[in-house]
């Protein structure tokens, strides 16, 4: 998470608000849900496992960026 600290410090309020709103579109979310279900069942192919891992890694990065964005907004609202 420390890798993202410089990014968090450089976020404007407008960018922070945009980052907080990031989410998958409906088609992508359906694909993630399908992969998650297949993963729970142990039924992913190697390609699907790799695809799912990419989604999870991306989600983790977005979650960290959103936490930094929330901190920026909290600091701004507290002033």
């Amino acid at each position: 998470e420390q890798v993202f600290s410089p990014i968090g410090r450089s976020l404007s309020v407008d960018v922070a608000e945009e980052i907080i709103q990031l989410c998958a579109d409906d088609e992508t979310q359906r694909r993630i849900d399908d992969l998650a279900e297949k993963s729970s069942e142990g039924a992913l192919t190697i390609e699907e496992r790799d695809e799912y891992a990419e989604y999870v890694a991306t989600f983790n990065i977005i979650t960290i960026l959103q936490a930094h964005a929330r901190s920026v907004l909290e600091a701004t609202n507290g002033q």
Side-chain angles (χ1 to χ4, degrees):
E1 189 170 322
Q2 278 186 310
V3 171
F4 295 98
S5 292
I7 295 170
R9 288 192 301 269
S10 65
L11 291 177
S12 68
V13 170
D14 290 338
V15 172
E17 288 173 345
E18 289 292 325
I19 289 172
I20 288 172
Q21 298 302 317
L22 287 175
C23 64
D25 60 43
D26 291 342
E27 181 180 342
T28 302
Q29 188 60 56
R30 279 191 299 276
R31 179 64 178 155
I32 293 168
D33 293 344
D34 290 343
L35 292 170
E37 185 176 333
K38 286 180 82 173
S39 178
S40 295
E41 296 167 354
L44 289 175
T45 65
I46 292 170
E47 293 82 12
E48 289 172 328
R49 186 184 64 214
D50 292 344
E51 180 184 3
Y52 189 49
E54 287 181 32
Y55 282 124
V56 170
T58 301
F59 176 76
N60 289 338
I61 291 168
I62 291 171
T63 299
I64 292 168
L65 289 173
Q66 287 175 329
H68 283 284
R70 285 185 186 90
S71 294
V72 167
L73 294 178
E74 288 171 7
T76 302
N77 291 334
Q79 292 180 347

